[in-house]
Amino acid sequence: MINKLTGLVTGICGLTLLISCGEPTANETPKAEEKKDSAMSVRTTGGVEKLDPSFDNIIEPGTAVEILTEGFDWSEGPLWISGGNYLLFSDIPPNKIYKWSEADGLQDYLHPSGYTGITPRGGEPGSNGLLLDKEGRLVLCQHGDRRMARMDAPLDSPEAKFVTLAYQFMGKRLNSPNDAVFKSNGDLYFTDPSYGLEKREEDPGKELPFKGVYRVKPDGMVDLLTKDIKWPNGIAFSPDESKLYVASSDPDKAIWMVYDVDAKGGIKNGRIFYDCTEASKKEKGVPDGMKVDKQGNVFGT
């Protein structure tokens, strides 16, 4: 997990694209300048380091990293709603989801988002990863409630009403679902580290002895795909769904794994896709969320 994010940014530190979040070089965009648009003032930050000319085919030269809004405790799970031209994202400690649009700026969207209990708790109770199902309904990785859930309300009229999609495996409560992705057949794949438990590995409520990667079938059946990743985090499919990528946030083994997806939707042949352990220790950061574009390029934070 990223320790603390002070703003929501439209850029991503890459892995296969090798985008650096360090200091700019001669090939980078200018750092820290003010840019005005028709809706509001947008600040740029950092720079884009191009290590291969082919990167220009993916990100237009001169593209800047823009800070859309800031001041959050722990922003996660950005989800673009194309039908409404707005962005949803989680702020985990205050148990909220915010909405941002170029037209209206920042607005409250949903509270509570990840913990619906009445007993006060600390830690990271809110929602983390957000995504849409085939019907366009909001699905949430809920830390505090320790489940995958669907909001039981339209996107344009949000309410803190939820339908549980998965909350246990073999009769034991999940840790705290972190990130998720849908397969085209409706199967839901998600990671389940223990970041959302107040005392993480030492939490007395922890019931599973491992942190797994799971699949939920449309009928509610929950399958364990692997328990071999110490800190599973971001998860994404290749465009043809033949490969599943999973980020490991273990600071001692900071890697992205890739698995072949078999005909039944299981995974096999797990192998390291990219190892950034040394860079991770130097930069004091670990792999987190990830996405794959339509061309198969992998973006990772």
Side-chain angles (χ1 to χ4, degrees):
M1 298 285 284
I2 299 172
N3 186 32
K4 187 173 183 181
L5 296 182
T6 57
L8 195 72
V9 184
T10 58
I12 300 180
C13 298
L15 53 120
T16 52
L17 302 185
L18 300 179
I19 310 173
S20 170
C21 285
E23 290 298 312
T25 67
N27 291 328
E28 295 181 20
T29 55
K31 182 177 181 180
E33 64 180 36
E34 297 287 336
K35 187 181 89 171
K36 300 276 188 178
D37 62 26
S38 58
M40 63 188 71
S41 176
V42 177
R43 292 198 298 116
T44 61
T45 186
V48 178
E49 182 182 0
K50 182 177 66 176
L51 301 182
D52 190 290
S54 63
F55 184 65
D56 290 343
N57 299 324
I58 302 167
I59 301 295
E60 185 177 350
T63 297
V65 180
E66 299 177 349
I67 299 176
L68 301 181
T69 182
E70 58 188 334
F72 309 102
D73 292 329
W74 194 306
S75 53
E76 286 273 7
L79 173 65
W80 180 253
I81 308 299
S82 58
N85 286 321
Y86 61 86
L87 182 75
L88 298 178
F89 63 95
S90 303
D91 194 10
I92 300 180
N95 201 13
K96 286 185 176 184
I97 293 176
Y98 288 97
K99 174 183 178 180
W100 180 92
S101 69
E102 192 168 16
D104 300 319
L106 184 69
Q107 299 174 310
D108 286 346
Y109 182 79
L110 187 67
H111 178 263
S113 65
Y115 178 59
T116 58
I118 59 175
T119 303
R121 58 152 288 174
E124 304 173 25
S127 60
N128 195 320
L130 307 174
L131 64 163
L132 300 179
D133 65 12
K134 290 195 295 184
E135 286 72 40
R137 299 172 296 189
L138 182 64
V139 172
L140 312 89
C141 299
Q142 294 187 314
H143 273 191
D145 285 347
R146 300 169 64 179
R147 64 179 175 174
M148 292 299 308
R150 183 181 71 240
M151 185 175 71
D152 192 21
L155 284 176
D156 58 2
S157 301
E159 294 184 61
K161 296 166 52 181
F162 305 103
V163 175
T164 299
L165 303 179
Y167 74 99
Q168 63 179 7
F169 174 71
M170 300 293 286
K172 297 183 182 297
R173 290 286 304 276
L174 297 172
N175 296 313
S176 56
N178 186 283
D179 198 8
V181 63
F182 275 105
K183 200 168 183 285
S184 59
N185 66 352
D187 288 355
L188 176 62
Y189 292 64
F190 69 93
T191 57
D192 185 45
S194 56
Y195 293 120
L197 299 178
E198 287 188 83
K199 297 183 179 179
R200 297 194 179 182
E201 293 299 279
E202 306 304 320
D203 196 279
K206 191 177 189 300
E207 298 183 14
L208 289 164
F210 55 83
K211 298 173 280 292
V213 179
Y214 298 89
R215 171 180 60 167
V216 187
K217 297 180 181 178
D219 63 4
M221 179 67 69
V222 179
D223 295 330
L224 174 66
L225 299 176
T226 181
K227 59 181 180 180
D228 295 334
I229 300 176
K230 189 174 181 180
W231 290 99
N233 201 315
I235 186 169
F237 279 110
S238 61
D240 63 2
E241 300 181 338
S242 67
K243 292 181 173 58
L244 181 71
Y245 301 93
V246 182
S248 172
S249 294
D250 181 1
D252 296 321
K253 195 175 182 181
I255 57 175
W256 283 269
M257 292 291 293
V258 61
Y259 300 86
D260 296 325
V261 181
D262 63 32
K264 295 183 178 180
I267 60 174
K268 59 184 180 181
N269 301 330
R271 55 205 181 272
I272 294 175
F273 175 65
Y274 189 82
D275 188 334
C276 63
T277 302
E278 293 307 314
S280 175
K281 290 178 179 178
K282 180 180 177 181
E283 300 295 337
K284 298 182 180 180
V286 292
D288 200 308
M290 63 194 314
K291 298 292 182 185
V292 180
D293 69 14
K294 293 179 181 180
Q295 286 71 46
N297 299 303
V298 180
F299 293 80
T301 59

